Amino acid sequence: MSDSRPGDGERLESLQRETFSYFLHEVNPENGLVADKTAEGWPSSIAAVGLALTAYLVGVDCGFMKRKEAVQRTLAALRFFYSSPQGMENDATGYKGFYYHFLEMKSGRRAWNCELSTIDTTLLLAGMLAAALYFDDDTPEEKEIGKLAEELYCRVDWQWAQNGEPRVSLGWKAESGFLSYKWEGYDEALILYLLGLGSPTHPLPNESYPAWTSTYKWKKVYGHEYLYAGPLFIHQLSHVWVDFKGIQDSYMREKGIDYFENSRRATLIQQQYALRNPQNFSGYCKDCWGTTASDGPGPSTLRIDGIERRFYNYLARGVPYGPDDGTIAPWAAVASLPFAPEIVLPAIEYFDNLNLRINNTYGYKGTFNPTFTDGTGKAPGWVSSYHYGINQGPVVLMIENYRSGSIWKLMRRSPYLLKGLQRAGFSGGWLEAGG
């Protein structure tokens, strides 16, 4: 896709390259695990591994890494997950085909007494399935990638994750069993249900998808009607792998739009919220927006210009109903590039003019907060100390989906995704045009 203004192409290429380098360096090459964030001794996030496995494909296509190196890294990860211990022991790597959210970088064992995560396992699987489709040369290594990815996907017991109910549980712990929460409302679980429905071994039943969509909330905000979710990442994450433009399930057919258009409207609402700036935070403007689950300057409470402000650390921030503490996530704006390039490209230029990439090896750090400053209220103010793998991946991949659509085109070939879409009731567009 052509860029709208001179200089945008170069800016996107350099941002994509810098951001991708996270997946070159913040990884254990022995097992393929990718660090959750750039903090000393921090564990791996399995979602970051799934994003890395997909990003490697873009890296090869864009010349950021050699195909041979990408194959080696991919095989290291797949072999690790295939052979790592699955069981009810509290230090296992996973259970029933699912994996714990955070794993120790060296040992690959469960970290922090965390939950076995249904969504993070799904994002890991999406990366594996994308790699299997891409690495299809007639070599022993690339054949092994396909074999391992399929076996890892097929051993996931999606029905177990329902815990006897229509909707899927968010997770499980060896010590206490299933978490009390089920997936409810529009959220990142869209891809979870699609891959769960597409399984050839332990698929979700037909009724699970409408049971989930029945919890959706349709709202009208700033003149836009849309399927509501506050944090911007929810409107992006499933779209990393799935091209929803022109295809609809029964819910979206009734509303007369598709999930792609829904994400566009959510992006426009983000900008409108920044323009209206109902809480009077510093820095918000038409080119400075992006509220999502992210790092923050808190926890603390400060009195600034006579107003008592409460600041949070990592939190699922959202608009227009909050929570919001003036924290902006540049990566979240970038990841909306395919939906609304006319407002995202100027935002990227604005962030660059704030020097948010200066001395940052991997592109933009997680967040910044112009309100949390020495009192001057000057941007960028407080800046996160860290880069996060789950932020880096969507930047690399959504820039590429904007420019070439390569990940979307690749995943159209997945028989499992196609089956999941069909069982969820999707039709129209590329689904009926043969991909």
Side-chain angles (χ1 to χ4, degrees), residues 332-392:
V334 179
S336 277
L337 183 58
F339 310 126
E342 73 279 12
I343 67 170
V344 173
L345 290 169
I348 294 173
E349 183 176 9
Y350 184 90
F351 296 142
D352 280 1
N353 288 337
L354 292 179
N355 295 324
L356 287 172
R357 288 162 61 191
I358 299 297
N359 298 322
N360 287 337
T361 309
Y362 305 136
Y364 300 129
K365 286 189 176 177
T367 46
F368 69 99
N369 190 315
T371 304
F372 194 92
T373 69
D374 57 4
T376 63
K378 293 182 179 178
W382 174 87
V383 179
S384 171
S385 299
Y386 307 110
H387 298 275
Y388 289 78
I390 58 172
N391 302 354
Q392 304 293 106

Side-chain angles (χ1 to χ4, degrees), residues 73-290:
R73 287 170 174 261
T74 301
L75 267 180
L78 293 176
R79 287 168 176 167
F80 163 74
F81 283 103
Y82 184 76
S83 61
S84 61
Q86 288 259 320
M88 297 188 69
E89 300 81 11
N90 60 15
D91 67 340
T93 299
Y95 183 52
K96 294 288 185 178
F98 293 94
Y99 293 92
Y100 285 102
H101 190 163
F102 298 106
L103 302 175
E104 296 292 347
M105 285 290 291
K106 292 183 179 179
S107 69
R109 296 298 182 104
R110 177 192 188 190
W112 293 341
N113 196 36
C114 66
E115 84 287 3
L116 181 150
S117 172
T118 55
I119 185 58
D120 292 281
T121 297
T122 299
L123 303 180
L124 173 64
L125 292 170
M128 291 177 175
L129 293 175
L133 291 166
Y134 184 89
F135 293 116
D136 59 356
D137 284 357
D138 188 18
T139 66
E141 292 81 7
E142 297 200 15
K143 285 183 176 180
E144 186 181 356
I145 288 174
K147 179 177 180 292
L148 290 176
E150 182 167 1
E151 291 191 17
L152 285 161
Y153 172 65
C154 289
R155 77 182 186 185
V156 177
D157 192 342
W158 301 95
Q159 296 168 14
W160 170 81
Q162 292 178 274
N163 191 28
E165 298 184 27
R167 288 183 285 127
V168 176
S169 171
L170 268 69
W172 176 90
K173 287 190 172 186
E175 300 84 3
S176 53
F178 283 99
L179 306 184
S180 58
Y181 301 104
K182 301 282 185 179
W183 288 104
E184 181 173 345
Y186 180 56
D187 47 42
E188 66 272 30
L190 180 54
I191 192 171
L192 181 154
Y193 278 92
L194 295 179
L195 292 187
L197 288 164
S199 170
T201 50
H202 309 286
L204 292 174
N206 288 333
E207 62 268 21
S208 66
Y209 188 72
W212 175 57
T213 61
S214 70
T215 66
Y216 282 0
K217 293 180 180 178
W218 186 259
K219 294 183 180 291
K220 186 174 184 178
V221 177
Y222 306 146
H224 298 285
E225 293 189 14
Y226 77 130
L227 180 52
Y228 170 76
L232 191 51
F233 85 93
I234 287 175
H235 298 281
Q236 300 164 337
L237 208 47
S238 296
H239 297 254
V240 166
W241 291 276
V242 187
D243 180 6
F244 288 101
K245 186 184 290 185
I247 64 174
Q248 299 169 307
D249 59 8
S250 61
Y251 186 93
M252 284 303 191
R253 275 193 294 274
E254 181 182 329
K255 299 299 183 183
I257 65 169
D258 54 41
Y259 287 98
F260 183 95
E261 171 61 23
N262 197 78
S263 292
R264 174 175 170 78
R265 295 180 186 184
T267 303
L268 297 175
I269 287 167
Q270 287 262 335
Q271 185 197 47
Q272 281 298 309
Y273 176 83
L275 283 167
R276 295 165 190 252
N277 194 8
Q279 298 189 57
N280 238 358
F281 288 117
S282 298
Y284 285 21
C285 65
K286 70 179 180 66
D287 295 330
C288 188
W289 51 269

